[in-house]
């Protein structure tokens, strides 16, 4: 599960700021070195948009 302050998952704002605490790529288990990525299947990923890290605590869709 990940959150982004941006309105969508694509774009510089989402990639750079993530949820304000954790970068989006990191929250999704991605790493620049492929061997270190968590390889979480897309079917097991949830990205909540227009949300910060703390918003995840009380979001109904989480």
């Amino acid at each position: 599960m990940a959150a982004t302050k941006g309105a969508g998952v694509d774009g510089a704002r989402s990639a750079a700021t993530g949820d304000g605490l954790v970068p989006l790529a990191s929250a999704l288990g991605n790493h620049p070195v492929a061997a270190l990525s968590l390889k979480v299947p897309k079917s097991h990923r949830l990205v909540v948009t227009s949300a910060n890290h703390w918003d995840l605590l009380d979001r109904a869709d989480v």
Side-chain angles (χ1 to χ4, degrees):
M1 172 187 338
T4 178
K5 290 178 165 184
V9 296
D10 297 321
R13 181 176 182 190
S14 291
T17 62
D19 64 10
L21 186 62
V22 180
L24 188 57
S26 180
L28 293 173
N30 298 333
H31 192 276
V33 177
L36 299 176
S37 289
L38 296 179
K39 298 173 184 72
V40 178
K42 289 186 182 198
S43 62
H44 289 94
R45 296 180 182 193
L46 171 67
V47 178
V48 179
T49 57
S50 301
N52 67 42
H53 189 81
W54 305 111
D55 289 333
L56 296 175
L57 294 173
D58 62 359
R59 293 284 297 250
D61 50 344
V62 173

